[in-house]
Amino acid sequence: MKRREFLKAAGLGAGASTIAMPAIAQSAPTINWRLQSAYPPSLDTLYGACKVFSKAVAEATDNKFNIQVFAAGEIVPVQSIVDGVQNATVEMGQTGSYFYIGKDPAFAFGTGLPFGPNTRQQHAWFYHAGGNDLLNEFYATYKLYHLPFGGTGTQMGGWFRKELKSKADLVGLKMRLGGLSGTVLQRLGLVPTQIAPGDIYTSLERGTIDAAEFVGPYDDEKLGLAKIAPYYYFPGFWEGAVSLSLFTNLDKWNELPPSYKSLLTTAASYAATDMLAKYDANNAAALRRLVANGAQLRAFPQDILQESYRAATALYAEIGEKSPTFKKILDHQMAFRNQVYQWAQISDFSYDSLMLNAIRQQW
Amino acid sequence: MKRREFLKAAGLGAGASTIAMPAIAQSAPTINWRLQSAYPPSLDTLYGACKVFSKAVAEATDNKFNIQVFAAGEIVPVQSIVDGVQNATVEMGQTGSYFYIGKDPAFAFGTGLPFGPNTRQQHAWFYHAGGNDLLNEFYATYKLYHLPFGGTGTQMGGWFRKELKSKADLVGLKMRLGGLSGTVLQRLGLVPTQIAPGDIYTSLERGTIDAAEFVGPYDDEKLGLAKIAPYYYFPGFWEGAVSLSLFTNLDKWNELPPSYKSLLTTAASYAATDMLAKYDANNAAALRRLVANGAQLRAFPQDILQESYRAATALYAEIGEKSPTFKKILDHQMAFRNQVYQWAQISDFSYDSLMLNAIRQQW
């Protein structure tokens, strides 16, 4: 800080007593914000990203920018986080954007659509194909500013009490599954139901539901479902890439000095990358433990994948007819997905194929 | 800044004139550092990461921490960046760590070994499996502090004047290829040669070499090799995941206040993630243009992959017998790789398989 600037900031300059400086106009003001997470501390990867983010911001500013993290339900209810940020009850919220498709189907893209791009492709779309700018045009109508906030990688398709032989086995099957995924599978005859994570175990045990999806091995292990619904299906095609969202109230965002806007952007990316790395490092060991404890891995039958893909494509077209915003973002993302998968096929997918052969066959 | 702290910093406090405050002991001192890149600005993804990093640090500190980026060769020669950082000619350097395996083979791990973990797995190993801590134990013996600094994803296997039908076609083939990869393929009869990027075109045109590898479509396009060595092979199995390294002189690192250490860590991760996203977003379009301009995509014959894998495994064992450091890091990383690939197989790889089927077959 130059001396002149300091004098102003400290209120010591000539005539300073008559100048009302808004605190926020300082380059490094002291700010206390609140960040409401949609997750409990027990989900240490999801909730943990908020702590990683908050710590990075506090450290870099010598605690001048203090973002206090609140666990699920502490200030704003889990299902109202977007509203809480919109009306500035909290300055920031972490959630899956897709929980809010009831407001507008375009909320789905912040998280990811069934059969969307994979995790790396989604991130490339957000940051180097204009995706996040498109999303922020939309989110601005809700007074929200959006930063991608980490991913889980491809999730599991969940726990089933009985094996699935073909798409016929989905008819009448009651499954914990929400959002667009629920609507897609409803078209194959499945009955999607909403159940809080804490009630999944007893609902499956009593047969109130036949199946339930949650996240992946590391988080799923905490629910202990292998004994009561042992068939553990993959891939979670409706969550091939799941991104979390960090929402900031748009007015609060705009009030920040440039240094803090930059730092929040940098720190959100850091926390996001850290979350994915943590999942990638921990899911493998958790999967081994689950299998040792009775989980039986199964691939979804091909006709379920194919029919679901067709149902999803038809559903997106229908939504797009009613919502130009949804259609605009959908067309942009799917064109990108189709192009980048051509490159992935000969690069990372080809390398992964090679490595899986080498490891499995013990070359 | 509290008034008392300000007074100290500005040298205005009681007795301040007698107190010699080391600049570095301030919480947000003004610092000017130099970062030497191994790449020219024309490689805007590799060199660009330095600019993204430097900008993020400058913005978050209101230009108090200014890291000036120097293009390849401006201060320290490209092949001496590690030395330049070690002896503090520059505070920071960006390079591929594996260019320095002549000093110690353990320098290979900062970049990635042939047949190592894929890009996401490598990052998970760095940050959530203790990998980067292991590397920093080693790098400390060279007075270096290491932060992973972005990746290219799986690279291409390069440009060949003639098609490869089997491993027999590698015998006597002169190829631009360095480091451990060169040694691996040398065992199959290939003749690795070192050629500067600017000389690749003429060397291939004149037949001085038969093949050359560089990076991937986005960077390779700038060399214009499709007309003279049209067979474009995949995957680059010796560079399944390539990570760049950001080295800081260890003494300089240790002198930084905690706020700056934290910010550099955060900003390096941000720049790293941004680099990968930029490659992922741009490689696909570049690949299309290359194919339109005559590049002929070819998969490496299976026997080349298999023999190379065996040669690499044997080579690593031999190096490990002489170098306990290499063996320690190798064993740690390969155990991790084998475990995480089991999870990748049913998650992201399974999802990618599904999506490639859906897109190719136009479900």
Side-chain angles (χ1 to χ4, degrees):
Chain A
M1 196 185 283
K2 290 177 186 162
R3 182 155 189 275
R4 183 182 159 78
E5 286 166 1
F6 153 74
L7 291 172
K8 272 193 190 170
L12 298 176
S17 62
T18 63
I19 298 170
M21 290 279 287
I24 210 83
Q26 296 173 35
S27 65
T30 296
I31 295 184
N32 291 298
W33 271 14
R34 305 197 295 180
L35 163 52
Q36 174 66 63
S37 172
Y39 304 98
S42 59
L43 293 174
D44 60 307
T45 310
L46 293 164
Y47 172 82
C50 294
K51 302 293 279 187
V52 169
F53 167 74
S54 159
K55 184 165 179 280
V57 173
E59 283 177 354
T61 61
D62 278 317
N63 296 308
K64 280 183 197 151
F65 198 165
N66 172 45
I67 299 171
Q68 194 177 352
V69 178
F70 292 87
E74 286 193 328
I75 301 178
V76 177
V78 169
Q79 65 274 18
S80 309
I81 288 179
V82 153
D83 308 83
V85 176
Q86 189 180 356
N87 62 31
T89 304
V90 289
E91 289 83 4
M92 306 187 101
Q94 174 217 35
T95 183
S97 173
Y98 68 174
F99 293 126
Y100 299 89
I101 54 170
K103 293 180 185 293
D104 190 307
F107 271 97
F109 294 102
T111 312
L113 265 57
F115 304 106
N118 72 19
T119 298
R120 263 176 53 186
Q121 294 164 351
Q122 188 188 43
H123 198 268
W125 180 75
F126 282 144
Y127 278 119
H128 278 279
N132 199 46
D133 292 338
L134 265 185
L135 293 190
N136 270 323
E137 277 178 30
F138 162 69
Y139 286 131
T141 64
Y142 287 84
K143 279 201 178 258
L144 301 170
Y145 183 76
H146 178 260
L147 288 167
F149 202 47
T152 63
T154 296
Q155 297 196 2
M156 288 295 288
W159 303 87
F160 291 70
R161 285 159 53 100
K162 293 181 185 164
E163 269 195 278
L164 303 172
K165 296 299 182 190
S166 75
K167 63 181 181 179
D169 292 333
L170 291 184
V171 179
L173 191 106
K174 281 173 284 182
M175 180 168 184
R176 179 192 187 261
L177 187 65
L180 287 178
S181 322
T183 309
V184 167
L185 284 161
Q186 203 169 17
R187 294 185 173 200
L188 278 77
L190 183 137
V191 183
T193 62
Q194 305 281 357
I195 289 176
D199 298 330
I200 294 175
Y201 186 93
T202 47
S203 302
L204 274 173
E205 194 180 33
R206 292 179 191 161
T208 314
I209 55 174
D210 307 300
E213 69 100 46
F214 192 48
V215 185
Y218 184 65
D219 292 333
D220 288 11
E221 193 181 20
K222 293 159 189 156
L223 301 182
L225 306 178
K227 295 277 188 263
I228 51 169
Y231 301 102
Y232 197 25
Y233 274 86
F234 66 87
F237 54 85
W238 54 85
E239 297 186 316
V242 170
S243 184
L244 278 295
S245 292
L246 179 65
F247 289 114
T248 305
N249 176 280
L250 189 56
D251 292 336
K252 296 287 178 187
W253 176 265
N254 288 332
E255 283 172 12
L256 290 175
S259 61
Y260 282 2
K261 283 183 189 167
S262 174
L263 179 60
L264 292 191
T265 305
T266 305
S269 168
Y270 168 69
T273 304
D274 186 76
M275 183 202 284
L276 183 63
K278 187 169 175 181
Y279 269 120
D280 284 342
N282 289 308
N283 270 325
L287 180 68
R288 283 195 169 195
R289 292 191 298 269
L290 285 168
V291 169
N293 285 315
Q296 303 205 31
L297 297 174
R298 293 288 185 278
F300 279 116
Q302 184 74 1
D303 66 347
I304 289 180
L305 300 178
Q306 198 160 2
E307 280 304 304
S308 298
Y309 184 85
R310 288 173 181 161
T313 306
L315 176 65
Y316 301 158
E318 290 166 30
I319 298 172
E321 278 177 25
K322 292 178 204 153
S323 164
T325 304
F326 185 90
K327 182 169 166 43
K328 179 181 168 187
I329 304 174
L330 178 79
D331 290 350
H332 189 273
Q333 188 183 67
M334 291 302 179
F336 182 80
R337 178 200 73 178
N338 292 347
Q339 189 176 61
V340 292
Y341 254 119
Q342 292 181 337
W343 162 238
Q345 183 180 354
I346 67 166
S347 56
D348 280 79
F349 183 77
S350 172
Y351 183 71
D352 287 340
S353 301
L354 155 65
M355 291 308 302
L356 285 168
N357 279 336
I359 295 170
R360 276 189 300 226
Q361 298 168 19
Q362 300 190 306
W363 282 359
Chain B
M1 194 187 282
K2 291 177 187 162
R3 182 156 188 274
R4 183 182 159 78
E5 286 167 2
F6 155 73
L7 291 172
K8 271 192 191 172
L12 299 175
S17 62
T18 62
I19 298 170
M21 291 279 288
I24 211 82
Q26 296 172 33
S27 64
T30 296
I31 294 184
N32 291 297
W33 271 16
R34 305 196 296 180
L35 163 52
Q36 175 66 62
S37 172
Y39 304 97
S42 58
L43 294 174
D44 60 308
T45 310
L46 294 163
Y47 172 82
C50 295
K51 301 294 278 188
V52 169
F53 167 74
S54 160
K55 184 166 179 279
V57 173
E59 284 177 352
T61 61
D62 278 316
N63 297 307
K64 281 183 197 151
F65 198 164
N66 173 45
I67 299 170
Q68 194 177 352
V69 178
F70 292 87
E74 286 193 327
I75 301 178
V76 177
V78 169
Q79 66 275 19
S80 310
I81 289 179
V82 153
D83 309 82
V85 176
Q86 189 179 356
N87 62 31
T89 304
V90 288
E91 289 84 3
M92 306 186 101
Q94 174 217 36
T95 183
S97 174
Y98 67 175
F99 294 126
Y100 299 88
I101 56 170
K103 293 180 185 292
D104 190 307
F107 271 97
F109 294 102
T111 313
L113 264 58
F115 305 106
N118 72 19
T119 297
R120 264 175 54 185
Q121 293 164 352
Q122 187 188 44
H123 198 268
W125 180 75
F126 283 143
Y127 278 119
H128 278 279
N132 199 47
D133 292 338
L134 265 183
L135 293 190
N136 270 323
E137 276 178 31
F138 162 69
Y139 286 130
T141 64
Y142 287 83
K143 280 201 178 255
L144 301 171
Y145 182 76
H146 178 261
L147 288 168
F149 202 46
T152 62
T154 296
Q155 297 196 2
M156 288 295 288
W159 302 86
F160 291 70
R161 285 159 53 99
K162 293 181 185 163
E163 270 195 278
L164 303 172
K165 297 297 183 191
S166 76
K167 64 181 180 179
D169 292 333
L170 290 185
V171 179
L173 191 104
K174 281 174 284 182
M175 180 167 183
R176 177 190 188 261
L177 185 66
L180 287 178
S181 322
T183 309
V184 167
L185 284 160
Q186 203 167 18
R187 295 184 172 199
L188 277 76
L190 183 137
V191 184
T193 63
Q194 305 280 358
I195 290 176
D199 298 329
I200 294 175
Y201 186 94
T202 47
S203 302
L204 274 173
E205 194 180 32
R206 291 178 191 162
T208 314
I209 56 174
D210 307 299
E213 70 101 44
F214 192 48
V215 185
Y218 184 66
D219 291 333
D220 287 12
E221 193 180 20
K222 293 159 188 156
L223 300 181
L225 307 178
K227 296 277 188 262
I228 51 170
Y231 301 102
Y232 198 26
Y233 273 87
F234 66 87
F237 53 86
W238 54 84
E239 296 186 317
V242 170
S243 184
L244 279 295
S245 292
L246 179 65
F247 289 114
T248 306
N249 177 281
L250 189 55
D251 293 336
K252 296 287 179 186
W253 175 265
N254 288 332
E255 284 172 12
L256 290 176
S259 60
Y260 281 3
K261 283 183 189 166
S262 174
L263 179 60
L264 292 190
T265 305
T266 305
S269 169
Y270 168 69
T273 304
D274 186 76
M275 184 203 285
L276 183 63
K278 187 170 175 180
Y279 269 120
D280 284 342
N282 289 310
N283 271 325
L287 180 68
R288 282 195 171 196
R289 291 191 298 268
L290 285 168
V291 169
N293 285 315
Q296 303 205 32
L297 297 175
R298 293 288 185 278
F300 278 117
Q302 184 74 2
D303 67 345
I304 289 180
L305 300 178
Q306 197 159 4
E307 280 305 304
S308 298
Y309 183 86
R310 288 172 182 162
T313 306
L315 175 65
Y316 301 158
E318 290 166 28
I319 297 172
E321 276 177 27
K322 292 178 203 151
S323 164
T325 304
F326 184 90
K327 182 169 165 44
K328 179 181 168 188
I329 304 175
L330 178 78
D331 290 349
H332 188 273
Q333 188 183 67
M334 291 302 178
F336 181 80
R337 178 201 73 177
N338 292 346
Q339 189 176 60
V340 292
Y341 254 119
Q342 291 181 338
W343 161 238
Q345 183 180 353
I346 67 165
S347 56
D348 280 79
F349 183 78
S350 173
Y351 184 70
D352 286 341
S353 301
L354 155 64
M355 290 308 303
L356 286 167
N357 279 336
I359 294 169
R360 275 189 302 225
Q361 298 169 20
Q362 301 190 306
W363 282 358

PDB file of all heavy atoms in Angstrom, chain B residues 34-54:
ATOM      1  N   ARG B  34      11.244 -13.858 -10.090  1.00  0.00           N
ATOM      2  CA  ARG B  34      11.357 -14.189 -11.509  1.00  0.00           C
ATOM      3  C   ARG B  34      11.076 -15.681 -11.720  1.00  0.00           C
ATOM      4  O   ARG B  34      11.589 -16.526 -10.989  1.00  0.00           O
ATOM      5  CB  ARG B  34      12.759 -13.831 -12.012  1.00  0.00           C
ATOM      6  CG  ARG B  34      13.085 -12.347 -11.706  1.00  0.00           C
ATOM      7  CD  ARG B  34      14.262 -11.817 -12.487  1.00  0.00           C
ATOM      8  NE  ARG B  34      15.514 -12.487 -12.158  1.00  0.00           N
ATOM      9  CZ  ARG B  34      16.679 -12.185 -12.734  1.00  0.00           C
ATOM     10  NH1 ARG B  34      16.741 -11.241 -13.660  1.00  0.00           N
ATOM     11  NH2 ARG B  34      17.776 -12.825 -12.382  1.00  0.00           N
ATOM     12  N   LEU B  35      10.245 -15.952 -12.697  1.00  0.00           N
ATOM     13  CA  LEU B  35       9.867 -17.330 -13.026  1.00  0.00           C
ATOM     14  C   LEU B  35      10.334 -17.633 -14.446  1.00  0.00           C
ATOM     15  O   LEU B  35       9.877 -17.022 -15.408  1.00  0.00           O
ATOM     16  CB  LEU B  35       8.340 -17.483 -12.905  1.00  0.00           C
ATOM     17  CG  LEU B  35       7.658 -18.692 -13.569  1.00  0.00           C
ATOM     18  CD1 LEU B  35       8.305 -20.003 -13.163  1.00  0.00           C
ATOM     19  CD2 LEU B  35       6.169 -18.711 -13.227  1.00  0.00           C
ATOM     20  N   GLN B  36      11.255 -18.570 -14.550  1.00  0.00           N
ATOM     21  CA  GLN B  36      11.799 -18.953 -15.852  1.00  0.00           C
ATOM     22  C   GLN B  36      11.028 -20.146 -16.410  1.00  0.00           C
ATOM     23  O   GLN B  36      11.031 -21.225 -15.807  1.00  0.00           O
ATOM     24  CB  GLN B  36      13.283 -19.306 -15.724  1.00  0.00           C
ATOM     25  CG  GLN B  36      13.912 -19.845 -17.003  1.00  0.00           C
ATOM     26  CD  GLN B  36      13.971 -18.790 -18.101  1.00  0.00           C
ATOM     27  OE1 GLN B  36      14.622 -17.764 -17.953  1.00  0.00           O
ATOM     28  NE2 GLN B  36      13.268 -19.036 -19.210  1.00  0.00           N
ATOM     29  N   SER B  37      10.380 -19.946 -17.527  1.00  0.00           N
ATOM     30  CA  SER B  37       9.670 -21.038 -18.188  1.00  0.00           C
ATOM     31  C   SER B  37      10.606 -21.766 -19.160  1.00  0.00           C
ATOM     32  O   SER B  37      11.527 -21.168 -19.712  1.00  0.00           O
ATOM     33  CB  SER B  37       8.461 -20.498 -18.959  1.00  0.00           C
ATOM     34  OG  SER B  37       7.886 -21.522 -19.749  1.00  0.00           O
ATOM     35  N   ALA B  38      10.343 -23.044 -19.367  1.00  0.00           N
ATOM     36  CA  ALA B  38      11.104 -23.819 -20.359  1.00  0.00           C
ATOM     37  C   ALA B  38      10.496 -23.692 -21.748  1.00  0.00           C
ATOM     38  O   ALA B  38      11.000 -24.299 -22.701  1.00  0.00           O
ATOM     39  CB  ALA B  38      11.149 -25.286 -19.952  1.00  0.00           C
ATOM     40  N   TYR B  39       9.422 -22.895 -21.858  1.00  0.00           N
ATOM     41  CA  TYR B  39       8.673 -22.881 -23.117  1.00  0.00           C
ATOM     42  C   TYR B  39       8.541 -21.474 -23.684  1.00  0.00           C
ATOM     43  O   TYR B  39       8.504 -20.490 -22.945  1.00  0.00           O
ATOM     44  CB  TYR B  39       7.296 -23.510 -22.891  1.00  0.00           C
ATOM     45  CG  TYR B  39       7.430 -24.905 -22.331  1.00  0.00           C
ATOM     46  CD1 TYR B  39       7.323 -25.141 -20.957  1.00  0.00           C
ATOM     47  CD2 TYR B  39       7.740 -25.974 -23.162  1.00  0.00           C
ATOM     48  CE1 TYR B  39       7.503 -26.415 -20.431  1.00  0.00           C
ATOM     49  CE2 TYR B  39       7.918 -27.248 -22.642  1.00  0.00           C
ATOM     50  CZ  TYR B  39       7.804 -27.464 -21.281  1.00  0.00           C
ATOM     51  OH  TYR B  39       7.994 -28.715 -20.785  1.00  0.00           O
ATOM     52  N   PRO B  40       8.432 -21.396 -25.007  1.00  0.00           N
ATOM     53  CA  PRO B  40       8.225 -20.090 -25.649  1.00  0.00           C
ATOM     54  C   PRO B  40       6.740 -19.698 -25.599  1.00  0.00           C
ATOM     55  O   PRO B  40       5.873 -20.570 -25.474  1.00  0.00           O
ATOM     56  CB  PRO B  40       8.655 -20.357 -27.100  1.00  0.00           C
ATOM     57  CG  PRO B  40       8.340 -21.807 -27.312  1.00  0.00           C
ATOM     58  CD  PRO B  40       8.556 -22.483 -25.986  1.00  0.00           C
ATOM     59  N   PRO B  41       6.447 -18.404 -25.725  1.00  0.00           N
ATOM     60  CA  PRO B  41       5.048 -17.952 -25.699  1.00  0.00           C
ATOM     61  C   PRO B  41       4.185 -18.600 -26.780  1.00  0.00           C
ATOM     62  O   PRO B  41       2.966 -18.698 -26.609  1.00  0.00           O
ATOM     63  CB  PRO B  41       5.164 -16.441 -25.928  1.00  0.00           C
ATOM     64  CG  PRO B  41       6.523 -16.098 -25.405  1.00  0.00           C
ATOM     65  CD  PRO B  41       7.390 -17.273 -25.747  1.00  0.00           C
ATOM     66  N   SER B  42       4.804 -19.086 -27.873  1.00  0.00           N
ATOM     67  CA  SER B  42       4.008 -19.726 -28.916  1.00  0.00           C
ATOM     68  C   SER B  42       3.336 -21.001 -28.418  1.00  0.00           C
ATOM     69  O   SER B  42       2.284 -21.388 -28.910  1.00  0.00           O
ATOM     70  CB  SER B  42       4.886 -20.048 -30.134  1.00  0.00           C
ATOM     71  OG  SER B  42       5.960 -20.898 -29.738  1.00  0.00           O
ATOM     72  N   LEU B  43       3.939 -21.659 -27.424  1.00  0.00           N
ATOM     73  CA  LEU B  43       3.268 -22.790 -26.781  1.00  0.00           C
ATOM     74  C   LEU B  43       2.411 -22.197 -25.661  1.00  0.00           C
ATOM     75  O   LEU B  43       2.755 -22.242 -24.477  1.00  0.00           O
ATOM     76  CB  LEU B  43       4.281 -23.812 -26.257  1.00  0.00           C
ATOM     77  CG  LEU B  43       5.076 -24.523 -27.367  1.00  0.00           C
ATOM     78  CD1 LEU B  43       6.165 -25.413 -26.779  1.00  0.00           C
ATOM     79  CD2 LEU B  43       4.145 -25.367 -28.244  1.00  0.00           C
ATOM     80  N   ASP B  44       1.292 -21.625 -26.073  1.00  0.00           N
ATOM     81  CA  ASP B  44       0.516 -20.773 -25.167  1.00  0.00           C
ATOM     82  C   ASP B  44      -0.126 -21.531 -24.017  1.00  0.00           C
ATOM     83  O   ASP B  44      -0.507 -20.929 -23.021  1.00  0.00           O
ATOM     84  CB  ASP B  44      -0.539 -20.000 -25.962  1.00  0.00           C
ATOM     85  CG  ASP B  44      -1.501 -20.937 -26.679  1.00  0.00           C
ATOM     86  OD1 ASP B  44      -1.033 -21.840 -27.399  1.00  0.00           O
ATOM     87  OD2 ASP B  44      -2.720 -20.786 -26.512  1.00  0.00           O
ATOM     88  N   THR B  45      -0.240 -22.855 -24.137  1.00  0.00           N
ATOM     89  CA  THR B  45      -0.824 -23.624 -23.040  1.00  0.00           C
ATOM     90  C   THR B  45       0.222 -23.879 -21.958  1.00  0.00           C
ATOM     91  O   THR B  45      -0.052 -23.698 -20.766  1.00  0.00           O
ATOM     92  CB  THR B  45      -1.401 -24.946 -23.571  1.00  0.00           C
ATOM     93  OG1 THR B  45      -2.224 -24.653 -24.697  1.00  0.00           O
ATOM     94  CG2 THR B  45      -2.237 -25.637 -22.524  1.00  0.00           C
ATOM     95  N   LEU B  46       1.423 -24.267 -22.382  1.00  0.00           N
ATOM     96  CA  LEU B  46       2.500 -24.551 -21.426  1.00  0.00           C
ATOM     97  C   LEU B  46       3.033 -23.248 -20.807  1.00  0.00           C
ATOM     98  O   LEU B  46       3.003 -23.057 -19.591  1.00  0.00           O
ATOM     99  CB  LEU B  46       3.629 -25.315 -22.123  1.00  0.00           C
ATOM    100  CG  LEU B  46       3.268 -26.735 -22.602  1.00  0.00           C
ATOM    101  CD1 LEU B  46       4.277 -27.247 -23.610  1.00  0.00           C
ATOM    102  CD2 LEU B  46       3.179 -27.688 -21.411  1.00  0.00           C
ATOM    103  N   TYR B  47       3.513 -22.359 -21.659  1.00  0.00           N
ATOM    104  CA  TYR B  47       4.001 -21.061 -21.191  1.00  0.00           C
ATOM    105  C   TYR B  47       2.867 -20.288 -20.521  1.00  0.00           C
ATOM    106  O   TYR B  47       3.062 -19.635 -19.488  1.00  0.00           O
ATOM    107  CB  TYR B  47       4.544 -20.271 -22.391  1.00  0.00           C
ATOM    108  CG  TYR B  47       4.911 -18.844 -22.094  1.00  0.00           C
ATOM    109  CD1 TYR B  47       6.147 -18.525 -21.525  1.00  0.00           C
ATOM    110  CD2 TYR B  47       4.032 -17.802 -22.393  1.00  0.00           C
ATOM    111  CE1 TYR B  47       6.487 -17.203 -21.260  1.00  0.00           C
ATOM    112  CE2 TYR B  47       4.363 -16.485 -22.129  1.00  0.00           C
ATOM    113  CZ  TYR B  47       5.592 -16.191 -21.560  1.00  0.00           C
ATOM    114  OH  TYR B  47       5.927 -14.888 -21.294  1.00  0.00           O
ATOM    115  N   GLY B  48       1.682 -20.410 -21.108  1.00  0.00           N
ATOM    116  CA  GLY B  48       0.524 -19.659 -20.608  1.00  0.00           C
ATOM    117  C   GLY B  48       0.210 -19.943 -19.151  1.00  0.00           C
ATOM    118  O   GLY B  48      -0.284 -19.076 -18.429  1.00  0.00           O
ATOM    119  N   ALA B  49       0.492 -21.172 -18.695  1.00  0.00           N
ATOM    120  CA  ALA B  49       0.215 -21.505 -17.296  1.00  0.00           C
ATOM    121  C   ALA B  49       1.007 -20.598 -16.355  1.00  0.00           C
ATOM    122  O   ALA B  49       0.537 -20.244 -15.268  1.00  0.00           O
ATOM    123  CB  ALA B  49       0.536 -22.971 -17.020  1.00  0.00           C
ATOM    124  N   CYS B  50       2.211 -20.234 -16.749  1.00  0.00           N
ATOM    125  CA  CYS B  50       3.028 -19.321 -15.925  1.00  0.00           C
ATOM    126  C   CYS B  50       2.345 -17.962 -15.813  1.00  0.00           C
ATOM    127  O   CYS B  50       2.336 -17.346 -14.744  1.00  0.00           O
ATOM    128  CB  CYS B  50       4.417 -19.143 -16.539  1.00  0.00           C
ATOM    129  SG  CYS B  50       5.412 -20.634 -16.561  1.00  0.00           S
ATOM    130  N   LYS B  51       1.779 -17.507 -16.913  1.00  0.00           N
ATOM    131  CA  LYS B  51       1.107 -16.212 -16.904  1.00  0.00           C
ATOM    132  C   LYS B  51      -0.179 -16.263 -16.075  1.00  0.00           C
ATOM    133  O   LYS B  51      -0.494 -15.318 -15.342  1.00  0.00           O
ATOM    134  CB  LYS B  51       0.792 -15.779 -18.343  1.00  0.00           C
ATOM    135  CG  LYS B  51       2.018 -15.647 -19.249  1.00  0.00           C
ATOM    136  CD  LYS B  51       2.951 -14.537 -18.827  1.00  0.00           C
ATOM    137  CE  LYS B  51       2.491 -13.173 -19.318  1.00  0.00           C
ATOM    138  NZ  LYS B  51       3.518 -12.132 -19.052  1.00  0.00           N
ATOM    139  N   VAL B  52      -0.916 -17.356 -16.214  1.00  0.00           N
ATOM    140  CA  VAL B  52      -2.149 -17.524 -15.418  1.00  0.00           C
ATOM    141  C   VAL B  52      -1.804 -17.502 -13.926  1.00  0.00           C
ATOM    142  O   VAL B  52      -2.469 -16.838 -13.118  1.00  0.00           O
ATOM    143  CB  VAL B  52      -2.856 -18.850 -15.790  1.00  0.00           C
ATOM    144  CG1 VAL B  52      -3.966 -19.193 -14.808  1.00  0.00           C
ATOM    145  CG2 VAL B  52      -3.408 -18.778 -17.222  1.00  0.00           C
ATOM    146  N   PHE B  53      -0.750 -18.216 -13.581  1.00  0.00           N
ATOM    147  CA  PHE B  53      -0.287 -18.297 -12.186  1.00  0.00           C
ATOM    148  C   PHE B  53       0.146 -16.922 -11.677  1.00  0.00           C
ATOM    149  O   PHE B  53      -0.290 -16.450 -10.612  1.00  0.00           O
ATOM    150  CB  PHE B  53       0.874 -19.288 -12.133  1.00  0.00           C
ATOM    151  CG  PHE B  53       1.662 -19.283 -10.861  1.00  0.00           C
ATOM    152  CD1 PHE B  53       1.145 -19.831  -9.693  1.00  0.00           C
ATOM    153  CD2 PHE B  53       2.946 -18.751 -10.829  1.00  0.00           C
ATOM    154  CE1 PHE B  53       1.889 -19.837  -8.527  1.00  0.00           C
ATOM    155  CE2 PHE B  53       3.693 -18.749  -9.663  1.00  0.00           C
ATOM    156  CZ  PHE B  53       3.158 -19.298  -8.502  1.00  0.00           C
ATOM    157  N   SER B  54       1.003 -16.285 -12.439  1.00  0.00           N
ATOM    158  CA  SER B  54       1.557 -14.992 -12.045  1.00  0.00           C
ATOM    159  C   SER B  54       0.453 -13.944 -11.883  1.00  0.00           C
ATOM    160  O   SER B  54       0.451 -13.145 -10.935  1.00  0.00           O
ATOM    161  CB  SER B  54       2.568 -14.576 -13.111  1.00  0.00           C
ATOM    162  OG  SER B  54       2.804 -13.203 -13.076  1.00  0.00           O
TER     163      SER B  54
END
